[in-house]
Amino acid sequence: MKKIYSLIALCTLVFVFACNKDLPTELEFSSYEFNSNDPQGGNWKPILISAGSDLKIPVPTATNSPAYQAELAKTKSAIQGMTAGQRKTLVYWTNNPVVRWNEIALELIAKYNLIPGPNADGTYPVPNPADPQGPPAFPFAHPPYASRALAYLSVAHFDGLISAWHYKFLYNRAPAYQVDPSIPFAYHDQNIPAYPSDGAVVAAASRKILTAMFPLEAAYLERREKEHLESLLLSGEFVPSDLDAGVSIGEEIAALALKRASTDGMKNAQTNQVVGDSIANEAFKRFGWKWINQESPQRPVGLTPLFGKVKMWNVPNVEATRPPMPPKPGTPEFEADVKLLKEYAANSTAERRRITNFWQDGLGTYTPPGHWNDFAARFIVKYRLNTLRAARTFAYLNMAMMDGGISCWDAKYYYHYPRPIQLIPGFETIAGTPNFPAYTSGHSVFSAAGSEILAYIFPEEAKLVRGWAEEAAISRVYGGIHWSFDAIAGTQQGRNVAQYTLEKARVDGAGR
């Protein structure tokens, strides 16, 4: 019991910081001066490719060539004819569109985070990627799905921008506004070469990755890409060939990311009742218990029972981070937790309810992984990271959280541990009843993994983010959804998972 009370004490200490956090739809920030331009960024170690030079683009024309001068004239003409609406859009995209495209991903996750309801006959339909219109519409953007979508998006951004940086400083072609000082520049001068456009890399990769993840949004995402590319031209930094080269890199790295995604096992994560029942029965043979869904009508199978078999990014296998067995029902440790949950239920406080509600991240939200992406975006802006470092932050954050989710789901269906509502007679939660086993807590794993990455990249925020992770963990106990040992073991599990990603981050050539 000492561990859980220590957890509560720490949450109390950090609550003064956490209580002011809001759930945004769009981060308000404008163009800012990067704290570095990382001229050696093209030499950093990517994830899907072996080096930035793997993605090929044409050698750019010289700035004094007739071809370039014609492009320059086209850029100047477009800027001179800019409308009020285009000026507003230019302000929106800023000079760090990695953050903006991450926000678009979070918006789509929230939009599609809607669990399919039962049919009239009591059966439950499953979203089908082959028929995204449904019903029900594809996808159901639950936490595992969200973590995966964000991981592939962020990894594509990171690798694509390493490639862009490689060519930027190899060819060193000046931005349009430096070649022709009469061209106004919309943002801060960062002294970063223009060819290829880093923004175009991000736009093209984002459109392609997110369209694959959210196929019903294809037209919307195409409009956003077009709008972004237009803003890049109107910024005064790029000419059309800068954009074309960036789009080429973005599309190529997105194709490589989606090739990995097509074989990572996610398509098999949601299985049928026969397989679901066999997983439950195997757990019962092993441990003498199994989770039973408490919904009415009851879904025939839990959420993504085979997500624990999806290919991980940096962890060698799920056994490497599988937590120890939870307490057997009826033991003193188990009964102590029953007493603790009953005490919380009988003595709810405004502070506990606020913590529970803030970290709920349920249906219609951007889920726990999205929550940590929002935190990352705020730190990126606060510390003025350039697009390459912003992409690196999101890539390591989301790989760690996806690996954490896979590890967590492995434990959930390996141990198949019942939730409090199943084992405590008459017990009621204040935060719903998730459709999957209890041990370990997904919120705890996602949050601990995410906090360790942010603590590494932003050491000034280490105490704060680790405190937030502890708060996310205890919120599920306050809500009656989880046992305290779900939260404690899940927090340690998330920290353990993150170490594998941090091993890669420490040797990628970027420094901290």
Side-chain angles (χ1 to χ4, degrees), residues 274-291:
V274 173
V275 175
D277 287 347
S278 69
I279 293 171
N281 292 334
E282 283 299 313
F284 189 81
K285 290 177 185 177
R286 257 187 241 115
F287 308 113
W289 64 66
K290 63 180 178 180
W291 165 77

Side-chain angles (χ1 to χ4, degrees), residues 227-294:
E227 170 195 287
H228 184 194
L229 292 174
E230 180 182 69
S231 291
L232 291 169
L233 187 70
L234 296 175
S235 73
E237 185 172 4
F238 305 109
V239 297
S241 59
D242 296 327
L243 303 184
D244 292 344
V247 167
S248 174
I249 289 174
E251 291 185 343
E252 188 172 355
I253 194 61
L256 292 175
L258 293 174
K259 182 178 180 181
R260 182 191 190 277
S262 69
T263 59
D264 70 359
M266 186 65 182
K267 63 185 177 183
N268 301 318
Q270 187 61 56
T271 188
N272 58 40
Q273 185 173 1
V274 173
V275 175
D277 287 347
S278 69
I279 293 171
N281 292 334
E282 283 299 313
F284 189 81
K285 290 177 185 177
R286 257 187 241 115
F287 308 113
W289 64 66
K290 63 180 178 180
W291 165 77
I292 298 173
N293 186 1
Q294 302 299 299

Side-chain angles (χ1 to χ4, degrees), residues 79-93:
I79 292 171
Q80 290 171 345
M82 195 175 353
T83 67
Q86 288 172 323
R87 291 182 189 279
K88 184 177 180 181
T89 302
L90 189 59
V91 171
Y92 162 80
W93 281 108

Side-chain angles (χ1 to χ4, degrees), residues 17-47:
F17 299 100
C19 64
N20 292 321
K21 302 191 300 293
D22 296 318
L23 298 178
T25 55
E26 182 180 302
L27 181 60
E28 292 185 8
F29 75 101
S30 58
S31 169
Y32 59 85
E33 184 177 1
F34 297 151
N35 66 15
S36 66
N37 61 8
D38 288 307
Q40 299 302 315
N43 298 324
W44 294 357
K45 184 173 177 55
I47 296 160

Side-chain angles (χ1 to χ4, degrees), residues 322-391:
R322 183 180 289 164
M325 188 175 75
K328 183 177 181 180
T331 61
E333 186 178 0
F334 172 84
E335 293 300 334
D337 239 57
V338 171
K339 181 179 179 181
L340 181 68
L341 265 66
K342 286 182 175 180
E343 179 183 333
Y344 286 156
N347 300 286
S348 181
T349 67
E351 180 178 319
R352 290 174 184 169
R353 287 193 298 272
R354 181 161 52 176
I355 290 173
T356 301
N357 291 334
F358 177 76
W359 289 103
Q360 176 74 344
D361 291 336
L363 299 177
T365 74
Y366 47 33
T367 78
H371 213 146
W372 286 91
N373 276 257
D374 172 53
F375 294 156
R378 292 168 180 267
F379 291 142
I380 285 167
V381 173
K382 178 179 178 180
Y383 292 98
R384 299 183 292 112
L385 270 57
N386 61 46
T387 50
L388 175 58
R389 283 200 176 266

